Amino acid sequence: QFKAIEENLTKAEMYIEKNKNNLMIIVLVIAVGFSAIFAYNKFYLEPKEVNASNEIFMAEKMFAQNKYQEALDGNEQYAGLLEIIESYGSTKTGNLAEYYAGISYLKLGDNEAAIEHLDNFSSNDEILSPLAKAAIGDAFSEIGQNDEALEYYIEAAEMRTNNFTTPIYLMKAANAAFTLGQNKKALKFYKRIQEDFSSSNEAQNIDKYIARSSSSK
């Protein structure tokens, strides 16, 4: 056993000696790669994130006041959401600006632009993530694409399970399915609201929706 180990060590030493130049290059490339990533995050991305956070303040304020066009466009004093997306799209703030822009366009009736910006937004937030998906569903519903709306409502309902957003999106999904004549699917969503979210606002009159879907099967 010792002899076998010694032979393997010798082979390894010979391999290293034979390929030491290539191995040194590999180690150097890895080291340079890690250094480049660190430098990018530390000296480029972090300062950019700080600037974006500062610049979005007024646009967020306009959004909160339902001044959606002002939030999108900005003015001479502050950057609008569209400018922030263009300048800081790679940052977390730029990503959040995509959400604000999508909702703003939805409120203004520009559903295609709303879909584009909301689709660019990504998040793991418990509330914001399904909210964005459901808003895309609302935009598709507004332009009469109910099949797509249903898909996004289902996705929003299944992304997170909580007593606040889930029953809302289940109800939207159920109503969209009923509109499409998919009564069996609608009934399944209505019953889930009744069974799993009985204390929600959506469950208060759920019996009539269940009866409607059952009688239309």
Side-chain angles (χ1 to χ4, degrees):
Q1 290 178 338
F2 283 120
K3 185 177 180 180
I5 292 171
E6 186 177 342
E7 287 177 355
N8 287 332
L9 288 172
T10 302
K11 290 178 181 178
E13 289 170 355
M14 290 174 63
Y15 177 84
I16 291 171
E17 181 65 27
K18 184 179 179 181
N19 297 279
K20 63 181 180 181
N21 291 335
N22 291 335
L23 292 172
M24 287 179 65
I25 291 172
I26 292 171
V27 171
L28 184 62
V29 167
I30 293 172
V32 169
F34 277 116
S35 299
I37 292 170
F38 175 80
Y40 175 80
N41 289 329
K42 186 69 177 177
F43 302 111
Y44 177 76
L45 204 55
E46 286 184 15
K48 201 163 188 177
E49 187 70 65
V50 171
N51 291 337
S53 297
N54 292 333
E55 290 197 30
I56 201 174
F57 175 76
M58 284 302 298
E60 283 184 313
K61 186 176 180 180
M62 294 297 105
F63 180 87
Q65 294 175 0
N66 300 331
K67 297 178 179 179
Y68 301 113
Q69 197 64 58
E70 290 90 330
L72 287 166
D73 298 336
N75 58 28
E76 295 82 1
Q77 281 74 43
Y78 68 89
L81 296 170
L82 299 179
E83 183 180 342
I84 290 167
I85 290 168
E86 183 177 353
S87 301
Y88 305 104
S90 60
T91 65
K92 294 177 181 178
T93 302
N95 180 53
L96 183 60
E98 292 277 16
Y99 170 78
Y100 287 136
I103 297 298
S104 296
Y105 277 121
L106 183 64
K107 297 293 186 181
L108 293 169
D110 190 342
N111 297 294
E112 288 81 3
I115 292 167
E116 179 184 349
H117 285 284
L118 289 169
D119 199 42
N120 289 336
F121 171 73
S122 61
S123 173
N124 292 320
D125 186 81
E126 182 76 13
I127 303 299
L128 217 54
S129 184
L131 189 60
K133 293 297 180 185
I136 295 176
D138 290 340
F140 275 119
S141 179
E142 286 294 323
I143 58 179
Q145 296 182 221
N146 292 314
D147 286 299
E148 289 82 357
L150 176 58
E151 289 179 14
Y152 277 95
Y153 290 146
I154 293 173
E155 188 176 350
E158 293 178 347
M159 287 184 77
R160 302 287 187 275
T161 300
N162 58 64
N163 292 321
F164 175 61
T165 64
T166 309
I168 294 174
Y169 304 141
L170 283 172
M171 178 63 82
K172 284 179 176 285
N175 291 339
F178 185 81
T179 300
L180 290 165
Q182 300 177 20
N183 301 322
K184 187 176 181 180
K185 185 177 286 187
L187 184 60
K188 181 183 75 171
F189 294 137
Y190 289 135
K191 284 188 173 180
R192 188 181 169 201
I193 294 171
Q194 183 186 54
E195 294 167 3
D196 297 344
F197 304 97
S198 57
S199 60
S200 67
N201 290 331
E202 288 69 30
Q204 301 309 304
N205 297 308
I206 203 66
D207 289 339
K208 71 176 184 180
Y209 292 103
I210 291 174
R212 182 184 68 173
S213 296
S214 299
S215 63
S216 302
K217 286 192 294 184

